[in-house]
Each structure stands twice: as structure tokens, then as C-alpha cells.
Amino acid sequence: MLAKISLLLGLLLITITGSAQEAVISGLIKDAESNQLIEGVSVSASDKTTTSNSDGYFSIELKGGETYEIAFSKEGFRSFTMMVSTDPDSQIEIGPIFLVNLSTGSQEVPTITITESGSDNSLESQTIHGLLSSSRDVFVSAAAYTFGPARFRIRGYESELQSVMINGFIMNEVESGRPYWSNWGGLNDVMRNTAITTDADPTGAMYEPIGGLTNVLTTASEYRPGTKLVYSNSNRSYQNRAMITHSTGLMDNNWAFTVSGSRRWSQEGYKEATFYDANSFFIAAEKVFNQKHRINFTGLTAMYSRGVGGGAMQEVYDLVDDNYYNPYWGYQNGEKRNARVRSGNKPLFTLQHTWTPTPSTKVRSTVGYWFGKGGYTSLNWNNAKDPRPDYYRYLPSYYTNAEDQERVAEMWRTDPSVRQIDWDGLYRANRNNGYFEVPNANGIEGNTYKGNRSFYIVEDRRNDISQFQFNTNFEHDFEESPWGLNGGLNVDLYTGDIFNVVDDLLGGDYWLDIDQFAERDFPNDIDIIQNDLNNPNRIVKEGDIYSHHYKSHVNTYNLWLMTNFEGDKYKVYFGGHYKYNEFWREGLMKKGLFPDDSYGNSEKQQFHTFGLRAGGEYRFSGRHIVKANASFGKQPPLFRNVYVSPRTRDHVIPNLKEETHISVDAGYFYSSPNLTMRASGYYTRLNDQAKNMNFYHEELRSFVNYSQSNIDKQYMGFEFGAEYKITTSLSANVVASVGDYTYQSNPNVIVTQDNNQELLETGTVYSQGFKISGTPQHAYSIGLKYNSQKYWWAGVTASYFDQMYMDFNPIPRASIEFWSLPEQLDAAYTIDAFAGKSWRLDDFYISLSANLSNVTNNQSFITGGYEQLRFSPERPELFQPKYYYYYGFNYFINLSVSF
């Protein structure tokens, strides 16, 4: 009897043991778009949960012999579930699992903000939200998508305080310090592999500026193998976009190739006559020699030409009853023609070598060359009527008589030709001027040139570049030690070529290259009126350089080192950098007004600067983390802010100083399956900045240079972002940015004239306490997103913007009589929506998405503007501010097919 009981108990134990045998399910998780491995994905089945590691790998043990619903979720990605049946004591590989990145699905393309400067230096301002959108941080994503069209800047920082690096090459343009999205526009699908910071937190790629780094890697083998086709339709900057991308992945011969091309085009954008014509190309080729050595070549270019939309005074908007009026265009032979056209074609070539001598050491070295042209057309005229339709003398406000005001206003309201450039009239004027004789033309004694002289032309203001960079950085983790070390060297050799070209003579035969303002002031001095004494009385035609021509040479050498220590619950870092910077102006024209200061190489300006930083994080648990950063440093001034008037001479602003910054920030981060949150505070102080502006002075009837120094700024504020999963499909997010950005000094100013050596004025601009313009200092949003398990999604976001200020004219702020606070713009709100659906049909992945912005069609939202630099003490009301309005209802529809 006892033996039978023992046998039964043994069989029962075997049965229980067999039924308790576990199955192991594992696999890799990848981004469906970029093919990149994804770390930190939550994998849940039954009552068990795990996360994927840094290699995208997960493994979970479950009771064998059952069928499970396995859920994959991570902030910034669409959740995914699948059914898996298990056998006892089995190991099942289910990878790779592809998750859809919501930044490339639900909101394919943000609105790119491009604005013109109020100064006559032809600079523009562009956001880099197109790259920031790749971030999966809920706050940064909101800054890119939701806040971007309102000209929002993270922490209020100007774009020169941020850096963009593509495959080891720093893409900030040297003279302005700004990264320009248009230099790589249209290459969205090959720019997704990014590491993004928005503060001084180090990435190991370079010594990051205080505004953070966007580091784009274009390694050919890391793109998802296959082909992707995209077509988009929009009513924003362009109407149509077509893209194709193909990647081989790493082939058996250890080569990998990725190519991409796109075209963006439109007869007209949101504003009238803002056409768009752009083509972009990309190639990456990688060779893996062995586990230690690989090289990657990247070539890209974005060729574009687009009509610009300008701001206008509110008087003009009201007269035409249109807040999107564009003053830069008119009809020519029945066709719309824009006088302001931006164009560019700057190819970039990089070669990166990756050396991994040991598993704990990696060295990346990049050599790159960036070159090409950038242009901006504009009307120019000599001894002729101003051709701009919104010129202040053509507006009702110019007149003091009520009858004249009403007469002009009625013309603006009823006659469309009054509000447009009269291209046909410009041609008639040039043809009817008659023939002129130019004695000793082109500097040749006795050479008389006869022809129909143009008094109106279109010029192309060129800024071409040639730039070589070498960048190397290393990472090393000491074995059996918590210490790590990384550092690098960057060498940047830059030459800018700045000149004007005659783009169109508008029916005339030639343009005489003399200084019209000098001719007015010194009519009897044949030498002083010459733009180039080496080529006096020069006859220029279409395609010829004229007016001014100089080169900017800027060489930078930057050495940096960072060390870090990582414990069980904390990580700290500290490091610094040393930078040597030299630059000089090379004049290629000998100007008659400044024969000794305009031609040849100027004296070199040299700066030795440094920076220090430290920071770290503490992990109370896997869910609770606090981080902090602090930095102090000095930077050389930018080339464009150093020379009083680089177009005419090499004079440098007096008492030039290095810029100084101090910055601290701290944040709390929380992450759980249902709630992701971060809250950060920051304080930044910038001292001793310089700013140089040039503009036409109404009283002097000449171009004036307004050079400010000792500009101090302060940025402080709070950032908050949170996303909560209400259900497995429905989530809500809340984002807030509350800042206070102010000028902290009264800058010194010197005023000089383009056609005179004399110092016109020195003084002080009383701007301490003024708010910094160009961005909402308060921005809030709340949104709902629904991600269906059947691969469709939809969402809506409401946003509110406040504390927006106009860019102020410093001239009246130098006088107590005309001093006033800059204008604060009205608070505003927007409501945006998006929806989409994706399908997987065998080997085809199809995605259709639509982004609907400003669905309430709010057309009264002023996002910014500037006070005109022209100022009349007798009649201050003549030159009112110019405003930019937020687009009304606009959309972006995107269809992509991957296979």
C-alpha cells in the first residue's frame, strides 16, 4: 500500500513539475522607420514585465504551454501587441519587433519657421525644429511640433547657442553662428538617427554649447534595409513633396549603401508669390573591414530657390484687409514675380573612420568639406523713385491732410496694382532713360562706353562658403573601474566669400559700379566715388560682381576633455575645453572712400577662450531621477558682429571683448508604465555680447552702422512635460514653459556712416530690463492621443502663448525724449489635430497621416516682428513696426510606402 501511494505521489509530482516548466520568449525591438535598436521598451505578458536593454534585446520567462498577449510600449512609440503560443520548456525567438516612432508617424513634418531680419544685412532666422522633432522627450517634441510655428525657442536661446552636427561635421554657419535647416532640407528620412540634448548635458560627440546639441549619424549600415517612397501635400511653405530612400543594409561583402532624394515644389505657398523649388540628394557608403575598423562616406546637398514673404506695418494689412499681404511681388507680363528670392546649394562631404581597438575604447574621426553658394535677391536703384509698394511715402499715414489720406487709402483698397511692384514700369523706366556715355570705362584711358544705363536692377546678395573640418573624439571606459573618459579635437578652417552680383538689368544694357551716396556727397571727386579703385568706372552686366567683395577668414581649434564616474545610483561628470580662434577680413575691392582700409588682408583678431562644466544625476530608483548641470565659459565674438562695416572697410568695433556665460539647470525625471514626467529649472547669464546693424538713415540719406557692445542677457525659467496613459490606447500630455528673458545692461553704442570716416555718435542704449524678443516667454499645451491596436491614431492639442515682445529699435532708446518700452503682443491660442493609419501587407508597410494646424483658423495671432530701424525724430509715427502673423488653417498630408 505504501509503495502504491509513493508511486502516485511521484507521478503527481512529475505532473506538477512538468506543468510548471517555463518558456522563454526573447527578441530584438527596432524602430520601424530607422531600423535602430530601441532601448527601454516595456514588454509585458500576464503579470510579468521586463524592458529591452541597450542592444534592443528582451527576454521574459512565462509559464509554458499557454498562449499570451505580449504588449510592447515606450514613450514616443505606438504601442504594439501580439499573440504568442508557448510549449513547456521552450525558447521562442519572435524578433525583430518593429515599433512605429510617433514623431515620424502621427506628426510627420513640423512647420518650419523662417523669418527675415529687420536689418539690411540679409540675415534670416530659421528654427531647427525639424531635427528637434526626432526627440522622444515630451517637452522637446512639443517645442518642435506644437510650439514651433509660434517661433518658440527652447529656454529663449538664440539658435547660435545650439549646435547641429552631421556625422561629425558641425553645421552652424561660422559668420552668424546659426544652423540653417534649409542646408539639409528635404532629407527627413535619412536624418532620423539623432542624439539630442537641449542643455549642457554631454553626449560625447563634442563640447556642447549651453543650448545643447543635435547630433545626426548617417552610418549606412544602420538604416533599415529596403525602399521607402513618400508623397506629401500641404498648403504651407510648399504644396508637394516626393521622396525616395533605399538602403541595402550590411551586405555579405561588408558594404552598405543608402541613397535618398527628394523634390519639394509649389507655384505658391501660404503667402502670395512665395514659390518653392527644391531638390535634395544624399548618399552614404560604409565599409566594415573587421570588428575594429569601419569607414563611412556621406555626401549630401539641398538645392533650393524660394520666394520670400515679408512682414508689413499694420496700416498696410488693414488697407488690403489681409494679414498675409506680401510686399515683395508684382506682375510681369501677367506672371507673378517675387523680388526677394533665397537660393542655396551647399554640398557637404564627410568621411568618418571608426576605430574600436578594444571593447572599452572607441575613436571616431571625421574629415569633411562644405562649400557652395547662398544668395538673396533684392531690388536696387540709383537716382530713381523707390519701387517698393509699401514705402512709407506711398501710404496714407505719410500725408498730414485728411483728404490726401483718404485718397491714398482708397487707391490701396480698390487698385491692386498700387500694392504690388510695378515690374513692367521698371522695365519701361530703364528703356526710356536714353543712352549715356561713360568716359574711361573700366579704367581704360580714352575708352568711352555707350549704352542704356539701368537705374533699376535686381541684385543677388551672395554669401558663398568653403569650409574644411577635422573632428576626432574618443571614448574609453576603464576596465573594472567606474571611471570613463572622453575627449576630442576639432579643427575648423573657414572662408566666406561675400559679394553682390547683378542678377537682372531689367531691360537696360549696364550698371555703372560707383558709390551713389559718395557721388552725391563728393560730386567732383572721380576717385572717391569708386567702389573699386583698381577697376574705376566699371561697366557691370548680368552675372558680374559689383558694389563690394570681401572674404572672411575664420580658423578655430578646439580641444576638449571630459571624465565621468558612475556608481550604482549616481553618475557625475566634469570637464572643459580650450579654444583658439582667429579671423580677419580680406578685401578684394579698393573702395574710394577708404583706400587704405578696404583692400587686402586686415589685421588678425585673435582670441583664447575656455569653458568648464560639471554635472550628474542621482537615481533614487528606476523611476525617480534627478539631474543637474553647471557651466562657465568664454567665447570669441562672431565675425558678423566685429567689423563696423565689412562691406566697405576693415574697422573693428572699439573695446571688443570675449563673450562670457554662466549657466545652471536641474531637473526631476519620473518614468513608470503609465506616467512619464520631467520638470526642469534653469538660469543662464550672457555678458559682453556685441551686435552690429546697418540700415538706411532717413536724415543722413546714407547707410549707417549701429554697433552695440557690452550687451548682457539673462534667461531663467521652468519647463514641465508629462504624458499619462489613461488606458492602453488613450494618453494625455501636458507641457509648460514659463520663462523670463531680459536684457541686463545698457549697451554702449557707436554710430558710423558708410560713406564717411567720421564717428557720428557715441552713447548708451537704455534697454536694461527690456524683454528679449523673438519667442513666447510663456507657452502651454494640453493634448489627447489615441493609438488603436488596429494601427490607427488620432489626437488633438490646444496651446496658449503669452509674454511675446517686439524686437526693438535701439535708436530712440538712446534718448530720454523718445524712450519707451517695447511693444508686448497679445496672448493667443491655437488648436491642432492629427490622425493617421498604417497597414502591413506582407512585406509592405504603408502609413497615411494628416496634421491639421490652427483648425479654428485664428488669423489674428501675431507671432513676432520688429520695429523698423529707420527713425524720424520729427515724425516718429512714420516708421511703424512690421508684424508677422501665424498661418491660418494649414495642413500637411503624408503617404509613405516601405518595402
Side-chain angles (χ1 to χ4, degrees):
M1 184 69 177
L2 183 61
K4 291 181 178 179
I5 292 174
S6 299
L7 178 61
L8 288 173
L9 290 173
L11 291 172
L12 179 62
L13 180 62
I14 291 173
T15 302
I16 294 173
T17 304
S19 64
Q21 287 179 321
E22 293 187 334
V24 178
I25 300 174
S26 61
L28 294 175
I29 306 176
K30 294 186 174 184
D31 188 315
E33 290 292 320
S34 68
N35 202 41
Q36 300 298 303
L37 297 167
I38 309 175
E39 179 183 4
V41 177
S42 175
V43 183
S44 302
S46 186
D47 59 347
K48 290 191 175 183
T49 301
T50 187
T51 57
S52 59
N53 63 16
S54 58
D55 296 321
Y57 177 79
F58 76 93
S59 177
I60 188 169
E61 293 185 357
L62 301 167
K63 183 179 178 181
E66 297 187 11
T67 298
Y68 294 95
E69 181 180 79
I70 302 180
F72 303 85
S73 62
K74 179 178 172 64
E75 180 193 358
F77 290 87
R78 186 171 306 116
S79 299
F80 173 73
T81 59
M82 65 183 302
M83 305 301 295
V84 177
S85 297
T86 64
D87 295 323
D89 195 23
S90 62
Q91 295 192 8
I92 303 174
E93 289 280 348
I94 61 172
I97 303 298
F98 290 100
L99 297 186
V100 175
N101 189 331
L102 293 178
S103 69
T104 62
S106 62
Q107 303 185 44
E108 176 67 24
V109 174
T111 299
I112 302 299
T113 303
I114 303 175
T115 63
E116 304 303 313
S117 167
S119 178
D120 285 325
N121 54 18
S122 302
L123 290 174
E124 65 176 338
S125 173
Q126 295 185 15
T127 67
I128 58 170
H129 296 135
L131 288 179
L132 288 177
S133 62
S134 301
S135 173
R136 298 176 189 112
D137 180 287
V138 61
F139 177 84
V140 178
S141 293
Y145 289 119
T146 309
F147 297 161
R151 309 180 192 276
F152 177 81
R153 300 195 306 253
I154 293 178
R155 299 187 177 181
Y157 294 157
E158 287 82 356
S159 58
E160 51 262 39
L161 298 179
Q162 305 166 327
S163 285
V164 174
M165 177 182 283
I166 295 181
N167 221 41
F169 194 101
I170 301 171
M171 298 296 293
N172 295 53
E173 292 199 350
V174 171
E175 292 181 51
S176 68
R178 301 171 179 174
Y180 288 104
W181 168 85
S182 54
N183 288 324
W184 58 83
L187 297 173
N188 305 59
D189 286 335
V190 290
M191 295 287 173
R192 299 198 188 281
N193 184 14
T194 57
I196 298 173
T197 64
T198 57
D199 51 34
D201 195 23
T203 63
M206 64 176 293
Y207 189 87
E208 291 84 359
I210 58 176
L213 169 69
T214 298
N215 185 21
V216 183
L217 298 177
T218 60
T219 308
S221 63
E222 295 185 0
Y223 293 100
R224 180 174 181 265
T227 302
K228 182 178 180 181
L229 306 175
V230 176
Y231 173 75
S232 309
N233 186 268
S234 173
N235 70 336
R236 298 176 181 172
S237 298
Y238 51 81
Q239 184 175 2
N240 304 284
R241 182 184 71 169
M243 297 193 299
I244 181 170
T245 301
H246 177 75
S247 183
T248 64
L250 190 62
M251 299 181 291
D252 293 339
N253 60 0
N254 287 330
W255 277 95
F257 296 92
T258 296
V259 294
S260 183
S262 77
R263 173 159 173 74
R264 293 162 292 154
W265 73 99
S266 179
Q267 291 295 320
E268 192 164 72
Y270 199 90
K271 284 191 171 186
E272 285 190 291
T274 53
F275 72 91
Y276 209 105
D277 185 12
N279 297 282
S280 302
F281 303 96
F282 171 93
I283 182 171
E286 182 185 12
K287 172 65 175 178
V288 179
F289 295 98
N290 49 50
Q291 292 184 343
K292 294 185 177 181
H293 295 278
R294 60 174 61 198
I295 59 171
N296 185 81
F297 168 80
T298 296
L300 64 88
T301 188
M303 302 176 291
Y304 66 90
S305 177
R306 58 177 177 81
V308 174
M313 295 189 294
Q314 190 60 50
E315 175 187 11
V316 175
Y317 289 133
D318 293 340
L319 285 169
V320 300
D321 193 26
D322 181 5
N323 287 340
Y324 307 103
Y325 165 76
N326 182 10
Y328 294 157
W329 72 278
Y331 283 101
Q332 181 181 340
N333 296 325
E335 300 287 336
K336 291 181 180 179
R337 180 177 179 179
N338 196 320
R340 300 289 183 101
V341 176
R342 279 204 180 272
S343 61
N345 179 18
K346 297 178 180 177
L348 169 70
F349 298 104
T350 65
L351 184 66
Q352 184 176 70
H353 172 248
T354 302
W355 177 38
T356 311
T358 68
S360 59
T361 305
K362 179 178 287 187
V363 181
R364 289 190 179 95
S365 300
T366 298
V367 292
Y369 182 58
W370 193 22
F371 65 100
K373 59 165 286 187
Y376 180 60
T377 66
S378 180
L379 284 168
N380 194 3
W381 57 97
N382 184 358
N383 195 26
K385 182 181 177 183
D386 196 308
R388 296 170 296 179
D390 61 341
Y391 181 52
Y392 77 103
R393 292 175 181 266
Y394 306 155
L395 299 177
S397 58
Y398 174 71
Y399 297 90
T400 57
N401 181 282
E403 293 182 359
D404 289 334
Q405 290 177 348
E406 179 55 33
R407 173 180 56 81
V408 175
E410 183 65 17
M411 292 170 59
W412 269 87
R413 287 191 291 262
T414 59
D415 186 357
S417 66
V418 171
R419 62 187 76 158
Q420 298 164 3
I421 295 173
D422 183 9
W423 288 104
D424 294 336
L426 301 184
Y427 274 82
R428 286 194 302 270
N430 282 343
R431 292 189 182 116
N432 294 335
N433 276 332
Y435 272 54
F436 288 80
E437 294 186 359
V438 181
N440 303 323
N442 298 320
I444 302 174
E445 189 72 27
N447 179 34
T448 300
Y449 183 87
K450 298 180 180 180
N452 198 348
R453 180 177 174 181
S454 288
F455 285 80
Y456 293 101
I457 63 170
V458 175
E459 66 182 15
D460 192 8
R461 303 169 182 175
R462 293 279 292 278
N463 194 337
D464 298 354
I465 67 167
S466 175
Q467 185 173 9
F468 169 84
Q469 281 189 29
F470 170 73
N471 188 15
T472 184
N473 64 79
F474 73 91
E475 302 173 9
H476 178 73
D477 294 323
F478 294 95
E479 295 183 3
E480 300 181 358
S481 171
W483 286 98
L485 193 68
N486 65 295
L489 170 69
N490 174 256
V491 178
D492 191 331
L493 308 177
Y494 170 89
T495 299
D497 198 7
I498 299 92
F499 54 92
N500 277 6
V501 170
V502 178
D503 185 73
D504 192 340
L505 287 168
L506 301 181
D509 296 328
Y510 71 98
W511 175 273
L512 183 59
D513 189 18
I514 59 173
D515 186 330
Q516 59 176 301
F517 301 111
E519 183 183 31
R520 181 199 63 202
D521 296 340
F522 310 98
N524 299 319
D525 193 328
I526 193 62
D527 289 333
I528 206 169
I529 70 173
Q530 300 298 329
N531 279 326
D532 187 5
L533 285 170
N534 295 328
N535 297 281
N537 293 342
R538 183 162 174 259
I539 303 298
V540 291
K541 299 189 177 183
E542 291 176 2
D544 290 339
I545 295 175
Y546 86 108
S547 177
H548 63 270
H549 190 188
Y550 68 94
K551 291 188 176 183
S552 56
H553 299 278
V554 185
N555 297 333
T556 304
Y557 307 86
N558 194 7
L559 182 67
W560 60 277
L561 186 66
M562 199 80 62
T563 185
N564 60 79
F565 182 91
E566 186 166 2
D568 292 337
K569 287 193 173 184
Y570 65 91
K571 179 171 63 177
V572 295
Y573 74 89
F574 58 90
H577 83 113
Y578 162 77
K579 178 189 288 186
Y580 170 72
N581 177 269
E582 63 177 13
F583 52 80
W584 68 97
R585 176 189 182 276
E586 179 188 0
L588 300 177
M589 286 186 173
K590 191 173 185 179
K591 194 164 183 66
L593 284 164
F594 311 103
D596 299 325
D597 305 310
S598 56
Y599 187 68
N601 289 320
S602 69
E603 179 183 355
K604 287 186 178 180
Q605 304 296 316
Q606 298 175 323
F607 296 90
H608 299 266
T609 57
F610 69 94
L612 299 171
R613 68 170 45 146
E617 65 179 55
Y618 185 84
R619 299 179 291 274
F620 293 95
S621 67
R623 295 185 176 182
H624 302 271
I625 302 174
V626 292
K627 297 182 179 181
N629 301 284
S631 67
F632 171 81
K634 291 180 176 291
Q635 287 288 333
L638 295 169
F639 182 93
R640 68 180 173 92
N641 290 326
V642 169
Y643 294 96
V644 170
S645 177
R647 297 174 307 175
T648 62
R649 55 196 186 273
D650 57 23
H651 295 175
V652 174
I653 296 175
N655 303 318
L656 196 61
K657 295 181 181 180
E658 299 158 345
E659 300 177 5
T660 303
H661 83 265
I662 182 170
S663 182
V664 294
D665 65 80
Y668 167 72
F669 298 78
Y670 176 83
S671 179
S672 70
N674 291 328
L675 175 64
T676 301
M677 180 186 71
R678 71 110 141 170
S680 303
Y682 58 90
Y683 172 86
T684 298
R685 176 81 179 222
L686 304 177
N687 291 335
D688 298 324
Q689 288 191 319
K691 183 178 182 179
N692 198 26
M693 302 180 295
N694 52 75
F695 55 93
Y696 185 79
H697 196 286
E698 197 63 26
E699 289 184 300
L700 298 173
R701 297 172 59 210
S702 175
F703 277 95
V704 163
N705 309 294
Y706 204 86
S707 303
Q708 299 178 71
S709 58
N710 300 319
I711 301 173
D712 299 343
K713 300 176 182 177
Q714 178 178 282
Y715 305 82
M716 58 189 299
F718 173 78
E719 300 167 334
F720 177 82
E723 185 169 48
Y724 180 74
K725 290 185 178 179
I726 302 171
T727 68
T728 56
S729 299
L730 182 65
S731 63
N733 62 74
V734 177
V735 173
S737 175
V738 182
D740 182 34
Y741 319 136
T742 57
Y743 290 95
Q744 292 292 305
S745 65
N746 293 321
N748 300 324
V749 63
I750 63 169
V751 184
T752 56
Q753 199 170 342
D754 259 9
N755 61 342
N756 198 317
Q757 291 271 17
E758 181 183 354
L759 184 64
L760 295 179
E761 182 183 345
T762 62
T764 301
V765 177
Y766 298 99
S767 57
Q768 187 171 0
F770 282 12
K771 300 292 187 179
I772 294 174
S773 66
T775 181
Q777 300 201 10
H778 293 181
Y780 312 89
S781 75
I782 183 169
L784 285 174
K785 294 188 296 185
Y786 185 85
N787 290 298
S788 170
Q789 301 299 320
K790 296 183 179 181
Y791 306 106
W792 64 269
W793 62 91
V796 62
T797 301
S799 303
Y800 181 81
F801 306 95
D802 199 2
Q803 298 294 305
M804 298 171 287
Y805 298 87
M806 294 289 286
D807 191 9
F808 67 91
N809 180 352
I811 297 174
R813 275 74 184 196
S815 168
I816 299 299
E817 181 182 359
F818 300 104
W819 188 93
S820 64
L821 288 170
E823 179 184 357
Q824 180 178 349
L825 302 174
D826 292 337
Y829 74 92
T830 61
I831 297 177
D832 307 318
F834 60 88
K837 168 72 175 169
S838 64
W839 302 265
R840 186 178 287 276
L841 306 174
D842 297 327
D843 293 332
F844 289 84
Y845 176 78
I846 304 170
S847 177
L848 176 65
S849 63
N851 297 318
L852 311 176
S853 299
N854 194 8
V855 295
T856 60
N857 196 30
N858 179 7
Q859 298 189 14
S860 61
F861 178 6
I862 300 176
T863 59
Y866 57 90
E867 296 178 0
Q868 295 189 68
L869 295 176
R870 287 189 174 187
F871 178 73
S872 173
E874 291 77 20
R875 296 189 62 188
E877 77 281 0
L878 285 180
F879 302 101
Q880 292 297 305
K882 292 193 174 184
Y883 300 98
Y884 294 101
Y885 278 85
Y886 190 95
Y887 287 170
F889 170 73
N890 61 92
Y891 64 87
F892 193 97
I893 300 172
N894 193 77
L895 173 66
S896 67
V897 180
S898 301
F899 54 90

